[in-house]
Amino acid sequence: MSDDFPYFPTYGEGLAHYAATTPDQIALRYGDRVTDYKTYDRHATQIANGLASMGLSKGDRVAYFGKNSDCSVELALGVARAGMVFIPIIWRLAPKEVEFILNDSGAGVLFVEPEFADQLPFNGNKVLMDDSFESWRDAQSDAAITTEVDAQDPLLQLYTSGTTGLPKGVVLSHHNGTHLRPLMKEHDIYWYCPDQGDSLIFAMPYGHIAGAGTAISGVLGGLEVIIHREFDPALTIADVQKHRVKWLFIVPAALGIMLAHPDAAKADFSSVKGLTYGASPIPLDLLKEGVERLKCDFAQLYGLTETFGTVISLSPDDHKPENIVGREQVMKSAGQPIPGTEVRILDEELNPLPAGVTGEVAIRGDSVMLGYWNRPEENAKTLIGDGWFRTGDAGMLDEEGYLYIQDRIKDMIITGGENVYPAQVESALYGHPDIADIAVIGIPDPKWGEAVKAVVVAKPGSDLSEEDVIAYAKKEIAGFKCPKSVDFIEALPRNPSGKILRRELRAPYWEGQEREVS
């Protein structure tokens, strides 16, 4: 790799590099509080020593439950420097879901924001993320860490909902994330590797790879990461102008919300060089509005937790209006593989399929996860040898190598950038005494891309209502997973083996849509 685009085997080494070369540069900005690289580096070392003083050692799991903050980002780098594994948990999850993750991961310590502390049953070490955290951190030694951390050591364990209803811990290594920046620089994929000193906003939920990846990426490129507790359109607009932000990552639904905000009408977006989006394709009308008002490059990113995020990208050139004319179909694609990534379309026997034929999307490259935590059967099913990972998405490659996602083999619903698996919602609702049978599907939604719908067979004689079903769901699972609407039918369509025919249930709602992914 070029000296201009250095490769850091671990995130801790990246942080140390910029602490030594640009110690006074702003690394983190959170409200009125700024942290330079020198301080960031010292805090990470103190946190690593503090974790060791708790009796934790290399490979142990450290969980965090809360919203985004500068302290939580420092915590991630402290865990990384200690050779431990960071588990940021989506704060919107229900207590039962969080309890499962804590038990499954065997976390040795939980760092939690005070507003959530009483909700979580955790018998181990618990540290509140308030002033007491800063006092704890600052009381620790800043002596250099002697633990050896290697590129292939695990860094993150992010939980993604499983098709069986139980979340799976995706284990990602340092190298899964660190190898990308120099490779992207080498190939001028500038929209995925900002220049040193560039600023970007981190507002995605921490428990997602888009959130965790953005939060820690600054130390690989000497970036200024502006941290928002959660997405706030007014704050985003204000900070873009105040801090002359160059890069935004946002889901299409959030972009629409931001552009519709009253403050956007007179906002100065001239500092923004590029906007990347993911989780769902962008409607052409929204793209045209975004390009016209932001006057910056747009790029789509496609990836999974299991691939440390982006492995496919639809480039800024593909988004330019003059390049869309006559090839509008490309805007319906996810894009082309980024350098270092290979894509195949597989049939049911896992044989490669030719261009133009739909099958299961498989990915190979250095971004592919180490595996699922304590899930040997899932690993055997998805990591199929020679570096290939089965995504579970159905797609097609065209002759130019553009990937078109057709449907989700695993039935996942993406609503406002959040992943929802029908089996998990169905499992939660089966406990309702008046529900005899249930299926959950995603239907088109102009704001969120997809909305969760429950199709329910009520028990004879019950007076079950839509409100009853939704209220029950809210007690059992996170709000974003709850049905937004409920239909009642006499019987669910099933095949001879008893499997629910979800496509048949979805068909009336997706009629007229070009694909069953909004």
Side-chain angles (χ1 to χ4, degrees), residues 113-135:
E113 290 196 320
E115 63 185 286
F116 304 112
D118 293 337
Q119 304 174 22
L120 305 179
F122 184 72
N123 296 324
N125 289 325
K126 186 185 289 187
V127 178
L128 293 181
M129 294 295 286
D130 55 11
D131 292 343
S132 60
F133 168 79
E134 296 175 52
S135 298

Side-chain angles (χ1 to χ4, degrees), residues 341-361:
T341 296
E342 296 177 76
V343 178
R344 281 181 180 173
I345 306 300
L346 305 177
D347 64 16
E348 292 183 359
E349 283 74 42
L350 306 184
N351 299 310
L353 291 167
V357 180
T358 297
E360 183 174 3
V361 179

Side-chain angles (χ1 to χ4, degrees), residues 73 112 133 149 192 209 212 227 252 259 266 342 413 440 447 489 492 502 509:
V73 177
V112 58
F133 168 79
V149 184
Y192 196 58
I209 187 58
I227 303 162
L259 293 178
K266 297 181 179 180
E342 296 177 76
I413 301 164
V440 169
K447 185 175 183 180
I489 60 176
L492 295 178
R502 296 184 196 277
Y509 305 100

Side-chain angles (χ1 to χ4, degrees), residues 253-473:
L255 174 62
I257 292 170
M258 185 182 79
L259 293 178
H261 194 278
D263 293 349
K266 297 181 179 180
D268 176 9
F269 292 111
S270 62
S271 67
V272 180
K273 182 177 180 180
L275 183 148
T276 54
Y277 65 91
S280 66
I282 192 167
L284 282 178
D285 288 344
L286 178 57
L287 170 63
K288 291 173 182 176
E289 181 185 5
V291 170
E292 180 180 329
R293 296 176 66 179
L294 272 65
K295 295 180 172 59
C296 69
D297 286 341
F298 275 65
Q300 182 180 171
L301 307 178
Y302 164 85
L304 303 94
T305 305
E306 290 91 338
T307 60
F308 212 101
T310 302
V311 285
I312 308 288
S313 181
L314 191 65
S315 75
D317 281 346
D318 288 319
H319 284 77
K320 291 177 179 176
E322 63 269 25
N323 294 335
I324 293 175
V325 177
R327 58 197 300 269
E328 288 82 0
Q329 76 282 356
V330 169
M331 280 303 301
K332 299 168 188 172
S333 77
Q336 297 172 302
I338 63 174
T341 296
E342 296 177 76
V343 178
R344 281 181 180 173
I345 306 300
L346 305 177
D347 64 16
E348 292 183 359
E349 283 74 42
L350 306 184
N351 299 310
L353 291 167
V357 180
T358 297
E360 183 174 3
V361 179
I363 304 289
R364 180 165 70 175
D366 283 2
S367 296
V368 172
M369 65 175 177
L370 296 177
Y372 295 114
W373 176 247
N374 289 338
R375 297 287 195 280
E377 292 183 2
E378 288 282 352
N379 289 331
K381 189 186 305 180
T382 58
L383 299 173
I384 54 176
D386 202 21
W388 288 99
F389 161 66
R390 295 173 59 185
T391 67
D393 284 344
M396 178 269 288
L397 286 169
D398 69 10
E399 295 288 351
E400 296 181 85
Y402 285 89
L403 175 65
Y404 293 77
I405 303 296
Q406 307 295 333
D407 203 344
R408 299 185 181 94
I409 292 173
K410 299 176 182 176
D411 295 316
M412 185 176 72
I413 301 164
I414 299 181
T415 176
E418 297 282 4
N419 297 342
V420 178
Y421 283 89
Q424 188 178 23
V425 184
E426 291 162 359
S427 177
L429 287 172
Y430 267 125
H432 194 291
D434 291 330
I435 291 179
D437 205 357
I438 184 171
V440 169
I441 58 173
I443 63 173
D445 186 275
K447 185 175 183 180
W448 303 115
E450 291 180 90
V452 180
K453 174 180 280 290
V455 182
V456 172
V457 178
K459 289 185 177 178
S462 74
D463 57 355
L464 187 64
S465 68
E466 179 178 64
E467 292 75 16
D468 294 335
V469 174
I470 294 173
Y472 185 85

